[in-house]
């Protein structure tokens, strides 16, 4: 099948197929995270970022591929989550600029577009590192420039093969990948995108090889719904919501009195796809879980019962929710419009207790997110725009959020600066130097200087067996991570935490702060504090409830 050009319809199909492929393979991409921690989220970030771009394309009625590419780039920019999502957005920013004046795309247009993608992606990173997604886009670009075919179906097969070859080279370029035995996760995501493009042009079916697990599905649903509650969404008229009922069901496959069919994923999925949008379906041998926005929640329930009985049902009227959001927005605007803040300090934090700690130190706005769910560029921009401030400071508190924060700062209408806190502990410490009477630049300089005054320790459990820097790790072991490096591995939580703290201390250490997470109790944290005091009677030990997921303890030493 020879294809000489890509028109509007074909481009849309390619974009939607790539979004589907990333969604289907998000869990697999997540599993490639180098550290065996339970917050590996590259796949989730890339999937949600690209889905935002696909949504922008689906709403664009233009017949020009160039304009659709602009919509894709804008959607990716605003939906970008984590460094992988931001770099993916930059790849298609370069692509879109190259084809902006094109109604249809030829093979040569594609070659030039990916050449510009490479240039833009590398230019977006201060210190480009090979063995990452950058290596994959370079491989795609170079293969395109060497190709001699004008057949787009053949060209994209060449590009997909080159992407895969570049991906397989990443462990040779980045030693930590070879040490752990994985390829680069961001590069893998880009391979899936280009492979989906190629499959569409060659008339192949999109493979759904790696379905998200139920935990990730919950995370994606929660993140999607969290966006719908941002006050920027108050501009949406409830009457414009096409499918008004957010419907979630959990079906016990093959059980119950209403069972008519043996479970077949494609049959089950395809019928639901005709009932609405925002469809997610995941299953194992016993359970299938569904999330869909629909006008027919009863039909969704009825369809599920044909395959098994219902373990759980949840239906939300999104139009009613939107009316409530608009009412709250209106009230908020009335309350805050007359009293703009001089400086907003916006911190990213996961856990109600941590949010309260930041607020007590002077943070004005907290974005929910962090290790387990990186906020998008749009989330951060919304927080800036809704802060009612003359200027703003962002505390990302996670290195994987720096790039999204910078993109938000670049498009914000007020001056915005980033304090490069990589951890919650660093972010909290920087607030001690904030002076409301100082200039934006002076505050940022003082806060940046505080970053090196604290040692950050995180305790979590391993999600797989691996070996990193000579440290052997078994699944479910507890790991003590000091400033990003795994230093202690044991099978006991308290022993791991105490040994990690001992490594964090030096002769100048004065204060140890313990922030205990979700599932931990005050008594457990107090017991840990007593053990820390027994190390050195002169240490001052503070204990705070954080409520953070994934990490039972966050420790700071100052």
């Amino acid at each position: 099948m020879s294809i000489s050009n890509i028109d509007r319809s074909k481009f849309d199909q390619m974009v939607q197929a790539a979004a589907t492929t990333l969604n289907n393979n998000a869990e697999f991409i997540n599993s490639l995270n180098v550290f065996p921690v339970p917050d590996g989220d590259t796949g989730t970030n890339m999937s949600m970022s690209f889905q935002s771009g696909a949504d922008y394309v689906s709403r664009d009625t233009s017949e020009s591929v160039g304009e659709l590419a602009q919509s894709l780039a804008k959607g990716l920019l605003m939906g970008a989550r984590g460094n992988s999502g931001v770099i993916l957005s930059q790849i298609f920013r370069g692509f879109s600029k190259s084809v902006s004046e094109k109604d249809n795309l030829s093979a040569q247009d594609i070659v030039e577009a990916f050449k510009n993608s490479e240039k833009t992606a590398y230019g977006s990173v201060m210190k480009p590192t090979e063995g990452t997604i950058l290596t994959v886009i370079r491989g795609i670009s170079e293969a395109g420039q060497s190709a001699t075919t004008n057949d787009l179906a053949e060209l994209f097969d060449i590009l997909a093969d080159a992407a895969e070859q570049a991906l397989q080279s990443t462990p040779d370029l980045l030693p930590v990948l070879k040490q752990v035995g994985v390829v680069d996760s961001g590069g893998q995501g880009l391979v899936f995108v280009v492979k989906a493009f190629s499959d569409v042009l060659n008339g192949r079916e999109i493979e759904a090889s790696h379905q998200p697990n139920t935990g990730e599905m919950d995370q994606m649903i929660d993140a999607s719904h969290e966006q719908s509650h941002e006050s920027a969404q108050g501009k949406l008229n409830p009457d414009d919501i096409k499918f008004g009922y957010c419907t979630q069901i959990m079906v016990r496959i093959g059980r119950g009195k209403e069972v008519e069919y043996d479970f077949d994923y494609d049959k089950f999925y395809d019928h639901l796809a005709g009932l609405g949008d925002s469809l997610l379906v995941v299953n194992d041998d016993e359970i299938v879980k569904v999330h869909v926005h629909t006008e027919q929640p009863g039909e969704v329930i009825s369809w599920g019962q044909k395959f098994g009985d219902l373990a759980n049902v949840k239906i939300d009227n999104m139009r009613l929710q939107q009316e409530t959001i608009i009412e709250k927005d209106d009230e908020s605007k009335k309350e805050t419009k007359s009293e703009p803040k001089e400086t907003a300090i916006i911190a990213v934090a996961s856990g109600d207790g941590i949010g309260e700690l930041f607020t007590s130190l002077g943070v004005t706005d907290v974005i929910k997110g962090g290790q387990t769910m990186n906020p998008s560029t749009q989330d951060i921009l919304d927080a800036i725009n809704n802060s009612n401030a003359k200027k703003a400071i962002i505390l990302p508190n996670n290195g994987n959020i720096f790039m999204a924060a910078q993109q938000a700062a670049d498009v914000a209408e007020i001056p915005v600066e980033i304090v490069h806190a990589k951890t919650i502990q660093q972010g909290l410490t920087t607030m001690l130097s904030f002076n409301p009477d100082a200039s934006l630049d002076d505050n940022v300089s003082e806060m940046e200087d505080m970053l090196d005054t604290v040692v950050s320790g995180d305790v979590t459990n391993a999600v797989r067996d691996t070996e990193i820097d000579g440290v052997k790790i078994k699944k479910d072991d507890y790991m003590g991570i000091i400033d990003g490096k795994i230093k202690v591995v044991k099978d006991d939580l308290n022993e791991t935490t105490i040994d990690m703290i001992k490594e964090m201390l030096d002769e100048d250490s004065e204060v140890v702060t313990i922030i205990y997470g979700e599932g931990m109790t005050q008594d457990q944290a107090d017991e840990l504090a007593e053990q820390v005091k027994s190390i050195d009677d002169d240490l001052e030990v503070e204990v705070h409830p954080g409520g953070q997921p994934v990490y039972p303890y966050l420790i700071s030493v100052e």
Side-chain angles (χ1 to χ4, degrees), residues 9-281:
S9 175
K10 190 64 71 176
F11 186 79
D12 183 37
Q13 290 177 44
M14 292 164 64
V15 169
Q16 303 307 325
T20 298
T21 299
L22 280 175
N23 179 30
N24 290 342
N25 290 284
E27 181 186 5
F28 172 65
I29 299 170
N30 286 341
S31 73
L32 300 175
N33 189 38
V34 169
F35 271 18
V37 294
D39 63 350
D41 51 7
T42 300
T44 305
N45 284 339
M46 295 187 80
S47 174
M48 296 183 75
S49 301
F50 203 90
Q51 186 59 57
S52 175
D55 289 345
Y56 270 63
V57 170
S58 65
R59 293 193 293 266
D60 191 331
T61 59
S62 172
E63 291 299 318
S64 163
V65 174
E67 292 187 19
L68 288 187
Q70 300 293 313
S71 290
L72 174 62
K74 180 64 180 296
L76 268 163
L77 169 70
M78 302 315 295
R81 295 174 184 272
N83 293 343
S84 56
V86 172
I87 296 175
L88 187 65
S89 77
Q90 293 303 302
I91 287 170
F92 283 96
R93 175 171 170 260
F95 186 101
S96 69
K97 284 190 172 183
S98 178
V99 304
S100 61
E101 302 299 322
K102 307 287 184 179
D103 290 332
N104 299 304
L105 303 184
S106 67
Q108 188 57 40
D109 293 331
I110 292 295
V111 169
E112 292 299 321
F114 277 122
K115 181 179 179 181
N116 203 46
S117 291
E118 177 194 4
K119 178 181 177 181
T120 305
Y122 272 84
S124 70
V125 180
M126 186 174 295
K127 295 180 180 179
T129 302
E130 295 300 337
T132 65
I133 188 173
L134 295 177
T135 298
V136 177
I137 187 56
R138 179 166 58 82
I140 293 168
S141 171
E142 291 175 353
Q145 293 171 64
S146 299
T148 57
T149 181
N150 290 318
D151 177 5
L152 283 156
E154 182 181 354
L155 174 63
F156 268 92
D157 269 351
I158 292 170
L159 299 182
D161 288 344
E164 181 63 38
Q165 290 177 22
L167 177 68
Q168 295 307 318
S169 75
T170 57
D172 295 324
L173 298 170
L174 202 57
V176 68
L177 297 176
K178 176 169 282 190
Q179 184 179 6
V180 178
V182 295
V183 294
D184 179 67
S185 54
Q188 178 67 80
L190 182 57
V191 168
F192 280 128
V193 170
V194 178
K195 178 69 162 54
F197 290 170
S198 179
D199 286 345
V200 168
L201 292 173
N202 284 278
R204 295 187 288 259
E205 290 188 9
I206 302 300
E207 297 180 6
S209 53
H210 298 280
Q211 285 296 315
N213 59 31
T214 56
E216 182 185 3
M217 178 176 173
D218 288 340
Q219 188 181 60
M220 294 177 71
I221 292 169
D222 290 344
S224 176
H225 290 181
E226 183 71 25
Q227 289 183 30
S228 73
H229 289 285
E230 295 291 339
S231 57
Q233 292 290 322
K235 299 175 183 178
L236 178 65
N237 187 328
D239 293 335
D240 292 336
I241 297 175
K242 184 177 180 181
F243 298 106
Y245 296 95
C246 174
T247 304
Q248 299 179 56
I249 63 172
M250 185 181 294
V251 180
R252 298 196 303 170
I253 298 171
R255 301 189 184 187
K257 298 180 180 180
E258 303 293 325
V259 177
E260 295 183 20
Y261 306 121
D262 291 334
F263 184 77
D264 177 86
Y265 183 88
D266 291 337
K267 178 178 181 178
F268 186 80
Y269 184 98
D270 290 346
H271 181 77
L272 292 172
L275 298 179
D277 62 12
S278 299
L279 176 62
L280 289 170
V281 177

Side-chain angles (χ1 to χ4, degrees), residues 517-554:
E518 196 173 68
M520 304 303 293
T521 67
Q522 179 77 42
D523 287 345
Q524 289 172 308
D526 287 341
E527 180 182 344
L528 178 66
E530 290 302 316
Q531 291 178 272
V532 174
K533 290 177 183 176
S534 70
I535 299 172
D536 185 342
D537 290 339
D538 293 331
L539 286 173
E540 179 183 343
V541 183
E542 299 180 5
V543 176
H544 300 282
Q548 70 274 6
V550 177
Y551 292 86
Y553 291 117
L554 300 178

Side-chain angles (χ1 to χ4, degrees), residues 229-232 234 324-341 365 382-383 385-388:
H229 289 285
E230 295 291 339
S231 57
T324 303
I325 291 169
I326 291 173
E327 290 173 2
K328 289 182 178 179
D329 263 7
D330 290 342
E331 292 174 3
S332 176
K333 289 173 184 176
K334 289 177 183 177
E335 292 174 0
T336 62
K337 189 172 182 180
S338 60
E339 299 180 4
K341 294 189 284 284
D365 303 88
D382 286 346
N385 291 339
N386 295 325
S387 67
N388 194 34

Side-chain angles (χ1 to χ4, degrees), residues 260-486:
E260 295 183 20
Y261 306 121
D262 291 334
F263 184 77
D264 177 86
Y265 183 88
D266 291 337
K267 178 178 181 178
F268 186 80
Y269 184 98
D270 290 346
H271 181 77
L272 292 172
L275 298 179
D277 62 12
S278 299
L279 176 62
L280 289 170
V281 177
V282 297
N283 71 283
D284 56 24
D285 292 336
E286 298 178 353
I287 293 287
V288 59
K289 190 170 184 180
V290 174
H291 166 274
V292 64
H293 294 173
T294 182
E295 283 295 285
Q296 302 167 282
E299 175 64 21
V300 173
I301 293 170
S302 177
W303 182 246
Q305 286 182 290
K306 295 181 186 297
F307 295 85
D309 63 11
L310 301 173
N312 189 42
V313 174
K314 185 173 184 288
I315 301 172
D316 293 315
N317 184 332
M318 294 190 295
R319 295 189 184 93
L320 179 60
Q321 290 176 336
Q322 188 63 20
E323 290 169 4
T324 303
I325 291 169
I326 291 173
E327 290 173 2
K328 289 182 178 179
D329 263 7
D330 290 342
E331 292 174 3
S332 176
K333 289 173 184 176
K334 289 177 183 177
E335 292 174 0
T336 62
K337 189 172 182 180
S338 60
E339 299 180 4
K341 294 189 284 284
E342 186 65 30
T343 303
I345 304 179
I346 301 168
V348 181
S350 181
D352 291 341
I354 290 177
E356 291 171 6
L357 281 173
F358 273 113
T359 301
S360 71
L361 291 171
V363 165
T364 59
D365 303 88
V366 176
I367 301 173
K368 290 185 177 180
Q371 293 297 95
T372 56
M373 179 53 65
N374 298 154
S376 68
T377 301
Q378 184 69 64
D379 293 336
I380 300 170
L381 182 61
D382 286 346
I384 295 168
N385 291 339
N386 295 325
S387 67
N388 194 34
K390 297 177 182 178
K391 50 186 179 291
I393 295 172
I394 309 295
L395 293 174
N397 302 321
N398 185 317
N400 203 35
I401 301 174
F402 287 177
M403 295 182 74
Q406 189 59 59
Q407 288 200 148
D410 290 344
V411 297
E413 295 180 357
I414 62 173
V416 178
E417 295 291 340
I418 315 296
V419 174
H420 295 84
K422 293 182 179 180
T423 66
I424 292 293
Q425 299 92 313
Q426 283 187 335
L428 291 168
T429 299
T430 64
M431 286 304 300
L432 300 177
S433 67
F434 175 73
N435 179 359
D437 296 323
S439 70
L440 184 63
D441 288 344
D442 285 346
N443 263 320
V444 170
S445 177
E446 290 293 327
M447 294 169 80
E448 288 276 351
D449 287 343
M450 293 291 290
L451 295 175
D452 292 333
T453 67
V454 60
V455 182
S456 301
D458 309 331
V459 181
T460 189
N461 63 293
V463 295
R464 68 171 186 270
D465 294 349
T466 190
E467 182 175 338
I468 297 178
D469 295 332
V471 180
K472 291 184 178 180
I473 303 166
K474 294 182 179 179
K475 184 178 183 294
D476 296 327
D477 277 348
Y478 288 100
M479 301 177 295
I481 305 171
I482 302 175
D483 288 331
K485 294 185 177 181
I486 299 173

